[in-house]
């Protein structure tokens, strides 16, 4: 089957599966035995990505997108939950995370290209490290692969002996992408990869990502708060609110027929993303307190459709909908509150 963006996706298989992922920071007890508050950054998250697919994750600042990304690449351990790559569990309850496998198969592209590269190392040294440590390549194999990597991201091989500060933002992000590709991963987790770039450079990097996906059969998890970029690039989208997925579906379904009131709010706050009214006052309220998550739906205080039920219990993602669109809402848009 072809994706919305035209690349082949194998819908019979799963590249990456995340089940009931939870991440709390802090917590535990003080020296005197008093319980310490924990930040509930990710509060039970499940999704899967098919081979060759681009899954977009959107949501406002602080909703837990980067925390999910960091768990996917093994930089953080989940408090609970599983991460499975092609049937192989890489993080599961009660067992140590398989960090080396994670690092080889799932790679991370960071938001800020220049500061994510070590300023004291040349590009050759930066790109050689994963080839040596994760792939065990000899010096001559590394030299060959470095040339291929630079060609893949459209950079001249003589740039290899320069330092990160000698590059523009767009070039530095190409190097960040080359570094992520070095270990020949199956999945790239791209955390706001173009947010720090000028619009014209953004387009070049996004085109490069599309080309690389086809060339190397990659699967992407693409995190962004830019709905325009997500709409153009992604096959499916998951909308996060306060550490949970509140709606997911094909990009077209989600943009044409958003069911969750938060998704509507997000789309309405972007001029031209969807025909709609401007968000009302409640829409500008802040996220709930991550130290004390509410019992009910976290969006209820901002939602015009919220009922007592929404304040009492948190709805699960509803899987009954057609074409895979799922929504975690007792009163989805278009259905009246009872
Ligand atoms: N190491 C940490 N220790 C304590 N709290 C943390 C830590 N990392 C993240 N958090 C908290 O977890 C929540 C989610 O943060 P996260 O960085 O994942 O959000 P985000 O969706 O990526 O936001 P942004 O769009 O601004 O990048 C926030 O409340 C944040 O303060
Ligand atoms: Mg982030």
């Amino acid at each position: 089957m072809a994706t919305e963006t035209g690349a082949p996706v194998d819908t019979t298989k799963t590249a990456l599966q995340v089940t009931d992922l939870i991440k709390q920071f802090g917590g535990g007890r003080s020296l005197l035995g008093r319980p310490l508050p924990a930040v509930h950054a990710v509060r039970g998250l499940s999704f899967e990505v098919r081979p060759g697919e681009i899954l977009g994750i959107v949501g406002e600042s602080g909703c837990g997108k980067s925390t999910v990304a960091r768990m996917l690449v093994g930089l953080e351990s989940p408090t609970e939950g599983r991460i499975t790559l092609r049937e192989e569990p890489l993080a599961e309850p009660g067992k140590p995370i398989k960090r080396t496998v994670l690092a080889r198969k799932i790679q991370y592209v960071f938001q800020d290209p220049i500061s994510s590269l070590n300023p004291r190392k040349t590009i050759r040294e930066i790109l050689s490290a994963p080839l040596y440590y994760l792939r065990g390549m000899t010096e001559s194999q590394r030299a060959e692969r470095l040339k291929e990597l630079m060609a893949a991201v459209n950079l001249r091989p003589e740039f290899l002996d320069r330092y990160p500060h000698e590059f523009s933002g767009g070039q530095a992000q190409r190097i960040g992408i080359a570094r992520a590709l070095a270990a020949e991963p199956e999945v790239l987790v791209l955390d706001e990869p173009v947010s720090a770039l000028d619009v014209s450079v953004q387009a070049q990097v996004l085109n490069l990502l599309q080309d690389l996906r086809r060339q190397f059969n990659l699967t992407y998890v693409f995190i962004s708060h830019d709905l325009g970029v997500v709409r153009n690039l992604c096959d499916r989208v998951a909308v996060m609110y306060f550490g949970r997925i509140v709606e997911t579906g094909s990009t077209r379904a989600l943009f044409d027929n958003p069911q969750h009131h938060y998704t509507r709010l997000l789309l309405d706050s972007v001029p031209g993303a969807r025909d709609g009214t401007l968000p009302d006052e409640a829409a500008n309220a802040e996220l709930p307190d991550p130290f004390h998550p509410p019992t009910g739906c976290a969006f209820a205080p901002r939602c015009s459709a919220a009922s007592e039920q929404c304040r009492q219990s948190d709805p699960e993602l509803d899987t009954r909908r057609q074409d895979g669109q799922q929504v975690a809402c007792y009163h989805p848009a278009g259905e009246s509150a009872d």
Side-chain angles (χ1 to χ4, degrees):
M1 190 188 103
T3 65
E4 301 208 340
T5 47
V9 168
D10 187 345
T11 51
T12 59
K13 299 205 176 82
T14 302
L16 176 69
Q17 184 156 31
V18 164
T19 316
D20 299 330
L21 209 58
I22 292 179
K23 180 67 189 178
Q24 293 174 6
F25 293 103
R29 296 201 168 256
S30 71
L31 285 176
L32 300 174
R34 275 195 225 111
L36 294 169
V39 175
H40 298 253
V42 174
R43 304 182 309 127
L45 201 90
S46 304
F47 63 82
E48 55 181 42
V49 197
R50 309 262 179 227
E53 188 175 51
I54 306 185
L55 174 75
I57 299 185
V58 298
E60 65 204 326
S61 185
C63 71
K65 304 181 297 294
S66 297
T67 307
V68 173
R70 293 170 65 80
M71 287 191 279
L72 289 179
V73 294
L75 290 171
E76 302 275 7
S77 309
T79 308
E80 279 178 44
R82 279 170 208 282
I83 299 172
T84 309
L85 191 80
R86 286 192 195 271
E87 322 281 307
E88 184 183 6
L90 300 180
E92 54 188 329
K95 296 202 178 151
I97 300 186
K98 295 186 184 168
R99 282 188 205 280
T100 319
V101 188
L102 271 173
R104 268 180 66 166
K105 298 196 170 171
I106 310 184
Q107 279 283 326
Y108 197 1
V109 176
F110 296 87
Q111 172 172 6
D112 187 346
I114 295 179
S115 66
S116 72
L117 302 171
N118 186 336
R120 280 188 280 275
K121 294 213 177 334
T122 62
I123 304 311
R124 184 184 301 281
E125 290 168 318
I126 290 171
L127 295 183
S128 294
L131 300 179
Y132 179 73
Y133 290 108
L134 295 173
R135 286 276 149 192
M137 288 185 176
T138 63
E139 201 175 336
S140 63
Q141 286 172 326
R142 293 201 296 272
E144 195 53 36
R145 182 85 179 118
L146 285 178
K147 274 194 234 151
E148 288 168 13
L149 282 171
M150 293 299 269
V153 297
N154 305 331
L155 286 176
R156 294 208 298 275
E158 51 267 35
F159 286 176
L160 279 169
D161 293 308
R162 295 195 187 165
Y163 288 86
H165 70 267
E166 298 176 63
F167 292 94
S168 70
Q171 288 172 328
Q173 194 56 299
R174 286 167 193 271
I175 292 162
I177 294 168
R179 179 181 58 181
L181 293 176
E184 295 174 48
E186 294 176 19
V187 177
L188 284 194
V189 177
L190 302 128
D191 190 356
E192 306 270 10
V194 296
S195 312
L197 307 176
D198 289 346
V199 176
S200 60
V201 182
Q202 278 190 2
Q204 290 168 13
V205 173
L206 291 170
N207 286 337
L208 173 69
L209 287 172
Q210 283 281 27
D211 292 345
L212 293 172
R213 175 169 68 133
R214 282 193 211 103
Q215 201 179 335
F216 299 109
N217 292 323
L218 293 164
T219 302
Y220 292 164
V221 176
F222 186 89
I223 294 171
S224 180
H225 63 261
D226 187 331
L227 292 167
V229 168
V230 166
R231 186 173 201 172
N232 282 327
L233 188 76
C234 299
D235 304 303
R236 277 191 311 124
V237 183
V239 179
M240 270 184 84
Y241 186 74
F242 193 56
R244 301 200 71 176
I245 291 177
V246 294
E247 182 162 6
T248 175
S250 72
T251 307
R252 192 169 303 154
L254 208 110
F255 276 84
D256 289 353
N257 187 22
Q259 296 288 310
H260 199 283
H261 300 273
Y262 176 62
T263 313
R264 295 199 153 210
L265 173 75
L266 265 188
L267 299 185
D268 287 346
S269 60
V270 180
R274 200 174 74 90
D275 294 334
T277 51
L278 282 174
D280 61 17
E281 220 172 87
N284 298 320
E286 292 201 352
L287 279 171
D289 178 3
F291 285 102
H292 302 101
T295 342
C297 170
F299 188 63
R302 297 168 74 176
C303 181
S304 56
S307 66
E308 200 43 39
Q309 183 187 19
C310 308
R311 284 180 271 274
Q312 299 294 333
S313 76
D314 202 2
E316 295 292 326
L317 274 177
D318 172 0
T319 53
R320 285 171 304 170
R321 282 164 199 281
Q322 288 175 346
D323 79 0
Q325 193 172 0
Q326 300 178 345
V327 58
C329 180
Y330 292 124
H331 314 296
E335 290 176 22
S336 59
D338 46 30

